[in-house]
Amino acid sequence: MNRTSFNKNWTVGPKKGFFSEKAHAKIIPKTVTLPHDAMIERHRKKPAVGEESGKNDFNIGFYPEGEYEYRKTFFVPDVYKDKRVTFEFEGVYRNAMVYLNGAFAGQHPYGYTNFYIKADRYLKYGEENEIKVIAMNHKDSRWYSGAGIYRNTNLIIGDLVHIALDGVKISTPDITNDRAVVTIGTVIENEGHHTRSVNVHTTIMDKDGNIVASDTIPVTSFAGERATFRQRLNVRSPQLWSVEQPHLYTCWTRIEEENKLVDEETNSFGIRSLTLDPDRGLSINGEVVKLRGACIHHDNGVIGAATIDRAEERRVEILKQAGFNALRSAHNPISKALLDACDRLGMLVMDESFDMWSSTKVENDYAIHFPVWWEHDIQAMVDKNYNHPCVIMYSIGNEVPEAGKPIDSVWGHKLAEKIRSIDNTRFITNSVNFIISVIEEQLKLTSENQAANDAGINTMMNNIGQAMAAINTSELATRRTSESFGYVDIAGYNYAEARYLADRARFPNRVIVGSETFPSMIDMNWKLVKENSHVIGDFTWTGWDYLGEVGIGRIKYDLNESGGFMGAYPWLTAWCGDIDIIGNRRPVSYYREIVFGLRKDPYIAVQRPEYYGKQPILTKWSWSDSVSSWSWNGFEGKPIRVEVYADADEVELFVNGKAAGKAAAGEEHRYKAEFDLNYEPGEIMAVAYTDGQPTGRMTLYSATGDVQLNVEADRKEIVASDRDLSFVTISLMDVQGNLYNSADRKVKVQVEGPGVLQGFGSADPKSTENFFDTERTTFDGKVLAVVRPKDAGMITVTVAADGCDPRVIQIKAVANEIEN
């Protein structure tokens, strides 16, 4: 079927009810290109003096919720009368209602799964048509969800006899060194009035376009029916897909009738095997793999929830550079674009289905629809994932309270068996929080000792401290969760590493994954992963900072600071990611890389000197309040604390060539050495030693002289496509290229030519600025501008800031021949 982008020339405005046309008449809809996040373009809600924020305000970053109406007109030629016309929506948040030429055409409550609208009965041929999509969000998310048509849309045109939507399923059940059997199941759909006899040609090509296997079979297709047929193709000397070598093949499927092409489709896939047992753990192609995992939410920072392909690809690139080899989609099915990137770049995926089943976590979340729609959404998730080698397991839920209840836990059985009925090639897990499994008992204890507590599970987990391990390992928690874990292949433990060793004896056949863990525990958790075959990996909360759940990783220095567990307005991000929202690696990221054994050089992180001597108040998701910089203007001669991370016996610190002390490091000291000294501008160097021999070093230099703008695009040539972007990092530096992290100022950006400023912002976790203005303040010396092409040509980006010479860069947008 012919699939083209349907992303351009939409308008968006407030939803108009039948009786409210006049009320919205003065609001002119805005023309947009999808994917588009309507929520990120709104001003956040600052509470009035004396006004308390609602719980959901903290969850979604104080953005207003709302109802949005998208419209687009499009021409339908007469030749489509004998075709099948379908619209694909990869994701609409939320409660999507679709209308064609004023008539209701379909709905889709869940905000994170793919759905199709068959359009034929509603179309007017030879004239203009209109499609309208309503999206609504209101108290339905525990994090920043975004709103609107935030993933790609496609127009699909097919012959009456065609390959069914998601109708090609590829697996590789039998692999040896010299050959691999590739099984391909293809569904042919006949929506005509007559029996048709066609030939189906299947061709497999390697990455260079060489044909490595092919097969042709005749198929008789009856009117009004779907016919499924299966082929086994032999690929000799297969190149296997793995994290280190993500080799991909292309399956080209063609339907021909009397030597005339009727339909065709291409699907990429990888040849790889998966095995699992408690003695070896997880193996890919026969090699044991430990999952260095990152949980990620779905927003893309300064562009909000808009799932533009290049943003997803860049995120995978940066996470892989930081040492991760696996992602967990938290807590919803991942986008097609991100899966494509994981396939190409070699990143494993745990795709998670739901954050709730039949019990709501916020007032209007998906649990309201789950009992009716869950099978549809599981089918959509599996259809999306089936041909992607990066996907190795499905998670059927995150911290659902039903997992600890005998009757309600049966939902897990239904979910797991539904997945197995349509995909038996991957493993199934359930991300269980043991505290939630006994939450009713815990709330009773809490109410007796602390009065009523309705602050939520994160607050409870943060406040119970050392009691958390006791609750996790209790006999009650074990008993409550045993049935739920019996339904799955891998037991997902959220914050329950205290069970890893004991459960080896309790449940000798159980394979465990740390499906969600505290960032500060990575050294101890990774030791457990390495030393225990039945524990296959660790997924930190979280790999990439995100909007909403504001301030769960923040550091306070004042007990009286407002906001409770979460940060009060203007807190914006969770501030708990290894990577910040503009893609910079924070110090914890380098610490984790050292713990993973992937970095030999030490790493220097300096705690912000303005807080020296004050006792930090951390949450369980916090890291130290540190920056990798030696530029602290105004603190000359004042005390400062330096952290050095190293997998070495000891670390020696030098300031301007003079020894400033030695301290033990390595695993026994949690890979960290700390030094207290007085700040002296110039040079600071850390040298790591093992057995008395230097094994690595790192040096930082103070920025001096005039502040200069450094403007760098991640790519200066992009495709003139609605799916591409250029990320322009703007940094304050001296002439030698040292970062001025303490000289923040306003930066202005102007984009000219065939491009637009898609988003502009810093990593500041509590900024009051927005992401859609052309002026933003740097944070720790950096800000990010995201440029999106509108057409082919040269895009000019001009950057200016007070006290700095302006900078100009050009980005070339190259015509995309295949985009419509």
Side-chain angles (χ1 to χ4, degrees):
M1 300 177 83
N2 183 25
R3 183 186 301 255
T4 58
S5 172
F6 201 61
N7 286 341
K8 292 184 177 179
N9 300 318
W10 288 79
T11 64
V12 62
K15 173 182 173 292
K16 298 177 182 180
F18 185 78
F19 295 104
S20 59
E21 295 287 344
K22 291 183 179 180
H24 291 91
K26 295 181 180 179
I27 302 177
I28 301 174
K30 174 185 176 182
T31 300
V32 298
T33 297
L34 307 180
H36 173 259
D37 180 3
M39 199 172 181
I40 202 70
E41 296 180 350
R42 302 185 67 182
H43 292 278
R44 294 199 296 154
K45 299 183 296 183
K46 180 180 179 180
V49 176
E51 177 187 5
E52 289 190 12
S53 298
K55 181 179 177 181
N56 213 53
D57 293 334
F58 295 90
N59 289 339
I60 61 176
F62 301 97
Y63 279 92
E65 295 157 307
E67 302 174 342
Y68 307 94
E69 182 173 296
Y70 289 80
R71 291 177 183 260
K72 175 173 176 171
T73 59
F74 59 99
F75 182 76
V76 178
D78 284 324
V79 294
Y80 283 6
K81 287 180 179 179
D82 296 321
K83 302 288 185 181
R84 284 293 171 258
V85 179
T86 305
F87 293 104
E88 178 184 26
F89 294 89
E90 294 184 12
V92 180
Y93 200 89
R94 200 175 75 93
N95 288 309
M97 304 285 285
V98 182
Y99 301 83
L100 279 164
N101 295 321
F104 173 73
Q107 69 177 127
H108 191 75
Y110 199 28
Y112 298 107
T113 48
N114 193 82
F115 66 98
Y116 300 99
I117 299 294
K118 291 197 172 185
D120 306 277
R121 68 179 63 176
Y122 309 102
L123 297 179
K124 297 182 291 185
Y125 299 97
E127 56 183 293
E128 291 289 325
N129 289 248
E130 182 187 65
I131 186 170
K132 178 176 72 173
V133 179
I134 302 297
M136 298 168 278
N137 69 326
H138 180 64
K139 293 185 179 180
D140 58 14
S141 180
R142 297 192 303 117
W143 54 84
Y144 176 86
S145 61
I149 312 178
Y150 73 99
R151 289 182 180 171
N152 289 314
T153 59
N154 296 289
L155 173 64
I156 304 171
I157 308 297
D159 190 90
L160 295 180
V161 174
H162 53 259
I163 301 165
L165 297 169
D166 301 308
V168 178
K169 299 289 197 297
I170 306 166
S171 60
T172 56
D174 186 0
I175 304 171
T176 64
N177 289 333
D178 59 347
R179 61 106 182 99
V181 174
V182 179
T183 64
I184 304 165
T186 305
V187 179
I188 302 299
E189 188 171 22
N190 184 346
E191 295 190 88
H193 299 294
H194 308 287
T195 299
R196 301 267 292 271
S197 295
V198 298
N199 288 320
V200 178
H201 305 276
T202 300
T203 304
I204 295 177
M205 297 174 288
D206 65 16
K207 63 179 181 179
D208 298 317
N210 301 310
I211 296 175
V212 297
S214 62
D215 188 44
T216 300
I217 62 172
V219 174
T220 299
S221 176
F222 295 125
E225 293 188 4
R226 293 159 62 100
T228 301
F229 66 93
R230 306 185 188 280
Q231 296 166 287
R232 292 171 58 89
L233 277 67
N234 219 31
V235 175
R236 293 174 175 80
S237 302
Q239 293 183 304
L240 303 186
W241 187 96
S242 66
V243 170
E244 295 77 21
Q245 295 181 310
H247 294 294
L248 291 174
Y249 289 85
T250 299
C251 176
W252 179 24
T253 306
R254 306 185 314 282
I255 301 176
E256 292 183 358
E257 186 177 34
E258 297 178 352
N259 296 321
K260 180 181 178 182
L261 182 66
V262 175
D263 195 11
E264 64 179 337
E265 183 176 312
T266 60
N267 289 275
S268 65
F269 71 98
I271 298 175
R272 58 108 178 94
S273 65
L274 299 175
T275 58
L276 185 73
D277 66 77
D279 295 328
R280 281 174 54 84
L282 173 69
S283 294
I284 300 178
N285 303 325
E287 299 291 329
V288 174
V289 175
K290 294 291 189 177
L291 302 178
R292 306 188 300 269
C295 300
I296 57 169
H297 268 319
H298 77 292
D299 73 78
N300 276 304
V302 304
I303 65 172
T307 308
I308 301 170
D309 291 27
R310 172 55 191 161
E312 300 286 75
E313 180 181 58
R314 174 179 179 262
R315 191 149 52 135
V316 177
E317 289 173 350
I318 292 171
L319 287 163
K320 186 161 186 179
Q321 290 164 7
F324 293 111
N325 67 2
L327 303 180
R328 171 190 176 216
S329 66
H331 306 288
N332 46 261
I334 218 162
S335 73
K336 288 186 174 183
L338 203 145
L339 287 178
D340 288 339
C342 289
D343 280 349
R344 291 192 303 269
L345 299 172
M347 182 72 79
L348 303 172
V349 171
M350 175 200 299
D351 204 12
E352 194 155 75
S353 54
F354 307 116
D355 186 47
M356 70 294 293
W357 294 347
S358 58
S359 298
T360 59
K361 292 183 177 180
V362 294
E363 289 90 328
N364 299 312
D365 65 25
Y366 176 75
I368 296 170
H369 303 283
F370 172 85
V372 174
W373 284 85
W374 70 271
E375 286 187 274
H376 183 280
D377 289 313
I378 287 292
Q379 182 77 53
M381 179 180 73
V382 174
D383 283 344
K384 167 181 64 73
N385 290 345
Y386 199 97
N387 296 332
H388 288 278
C390 64
V391 180
I392 59 171
M393 71 178 94
Y394 299 104
S395 170
I396 58 175
N398 170 67
E399 297 185 345
V400 292
E402 292 93 329
K405 299 177 180 180
I407 294 177
D408 290 342
S409 68
V410 175
W411 278 116
H413 182 253
K414 293 180 179 180
L415 288 159
E417 289 309 305
K418 175 65 176 181
I419 292 173
R420 291 185 178 113
S421 72
I422 49 182
D423 184 0
N424 62 1
T425 69
R426 295 174 172 89
F427 306 118
I428 298 173
T429 187
N430 189 355
S431 302
V432 171
N433 187 313
F434 289 86
I435 294 176
I436 291 180
S437 72
V438 294
I439 195 168
E440 292 178 357
E441 287 79 2
Q442 292 305 310
L443 287 176
K444 290 177 183 177
L445 292 173
T446 303
S447 63
E448 292 172 3
N449 297 315
Q450 300 178 21
N453 184 341
D454 61 353
I457 183 61
N458 289 340
T459 303
M460 178 184 291
M461 289 170 58
N462 187 65
N463 293 343
I464 61 179
Q466 296 301 317
M468 185 172 177
I471 297 170
N472 278 331
T473 57
S474 68
E475 178 58 30
L476 178 62
T478 301
R479 188 171 65 253
R480 285 284 187 87
T481 57
S482 291
E483 183 173 358
S484 286
F485 286 134
Y487 299 145
V488 298
D489 308 302
I490 301 169
Y493 284 15
N494 281 17
Y495 307 105
E497 63 280 347
R499 298 187 61 99
Y500 289 176
L501 297 181
D503 280 357
R504 182 74 186 259
R506 284 195 195 108
F507 306 101
N509 296 310
R510 182 177 290 184
V511 176
I512 297 168
V513 64
S515 42
E516 192 167 318
T517 62
F518 296 121
S520 59
M521 299 286 288
I522 183 57
D523 60 322
M524 293 179 281
N525 287 348
W526 194 244
K527 179 178 172 65
L528 290 169
V529 171
K530 288 190 299 182
E531 294 178 353
N532 292 276
S533 61
H534 72 296
V535 183
I536 63 173
D538 178 278
F539 286 81
T540 187
W541 192 268
T542 177
W544 196 286
D545 197 21
Y546 57 95
L547 306 176
E549 286 191 306
V550 295
I552 69 167
R554 78 193 194 285
I555 297 174
K556 297 194 294 186
Y557 296 92
D558 181 359
L559 280 171
N560 298 317
E561 181 180 321
S562 62
F565 169 66
M566 289 192 188
Y569 182 90
W571 273 92
L572 171 64
T573 77
W575 199 235
C576 62
D578 277 29
I579 317 293
D580 66 30
I581 63 166
I582 66 172
N584 296 311
R585 294 178 63 183
R586 299 173 65 204
V588 62
S589 172
Y590 294 93
Y591 177 85
R592 188 182 308 278
E593 190 179 16
I594 288 168
V595 170
F596 284 156
L598 303 175
R599 178 186 172 98
K600 289 301 180 185
D601 287 328
Y603 187 81
I604 302 171
V606 181
Q607 294 185 13
R608 298 180 192 272
E610 60 263 40
Y611 299 115
Y612 185 87
K614 295 184 178 181
Q615 182 62 40
I617 304 167
L618 285 71
T619 76
K620 288 185 175 293
W621 289 271
S622 299
W623 191 253
S624 68
D625 195 3
S626 56
V627 182
S628 185
S629 173
W630 198 237
S631 299
W632 301 103
N633 295 341
F635 290 92
E636 293 79 2
K638 296 182 179 180
I640 196 168
R641 176 165 291 179
V642 177
E643 303 172 356
V644 180
Y645 315 142
D647 184 10
D649 294 341
E650 61 181 355
V651 173
E652 187 170 19
L653 203 63
F654 298 87
V655 177
N656 295 324
K658 300 176 183 178
K662 277 188 176 182
E667 183 177 327
E668 292 185 0
H669 298 272
R670 303 197 66 185
Y671 301 95
K672 183 189 294 186
E674 292 186 339
F675 302 85
D676 289 289
L677 57 153
N678 290 329
Y679 174 60
E680 182 182 321
E683 172 192 288
I684 186 170
M685 179 174 65
V687 180
Y689 300 92
T690 297
D691 296 329
Q693 299 298 313
T695 57
R697 66 186 61 211
M698 178 181 177
T699 305
L700 294 174
Y701 301 93
S702 302
T704 59
D706 294 336
V707 179
Q708 299 189 2
L709 288 171
N710 183 74
V711 182
E712 186 174 355
D714 67 334
R715 295 174 307 143
K716 289 188 177 180
E717 183 172 301
I718 60 178
V719 177
S721 163
D722 53 50
R723 308 193 181 202
D724 209 353
L725 299 165
S726 181
F727 288 82
V728 181
T729 300
I730 302 160
S731 308
L732 306 178
M733 291 185 172
D734 67 6
V735 68
Q736 286 83 27
N738 301 307
L739 183 67
Y740 261 117
N741 60 286
S742 55
D744 288 319
R745 62 198 60 199
K746 292 276 190 181
V747 173
K748 297 179 181 179
V749 169
Q750 183 179 7
V751 177
E752 298 174 294
V756 295
L757 188 63
Q758 182 71 24
F760 184 34
S762 74
D764 186 349
K766 51 181 179 179
S767 173
T768 58
E769 299 172 330
N770 58 57
F771 296 127
F772 51 83
D773 283 340
T774 58
E775 183 175 275
R776 282 294 303 249
T777 304
T778 59
F779 176 72
D780 286 338
K782 292 185 178 181
V783 72
L784 178 72
V786 183
V787 177
R788 190 177 194 182
K790 295 190 300 183
D791 206 342
M794 194 66 71
I795 303 168
T796 300
V797 180
T798 303
V799 182
D802 290 343
C804 303
D805 293 332
R807 292 286 186 266
V808 177
I809 65 167
Q810 290 190 315
I811 301 164
K812 184 178 181 182
V814 180
N816 180 16
E817 295 181 358
I818 63 172
E819 180 162 299
N820 192 20

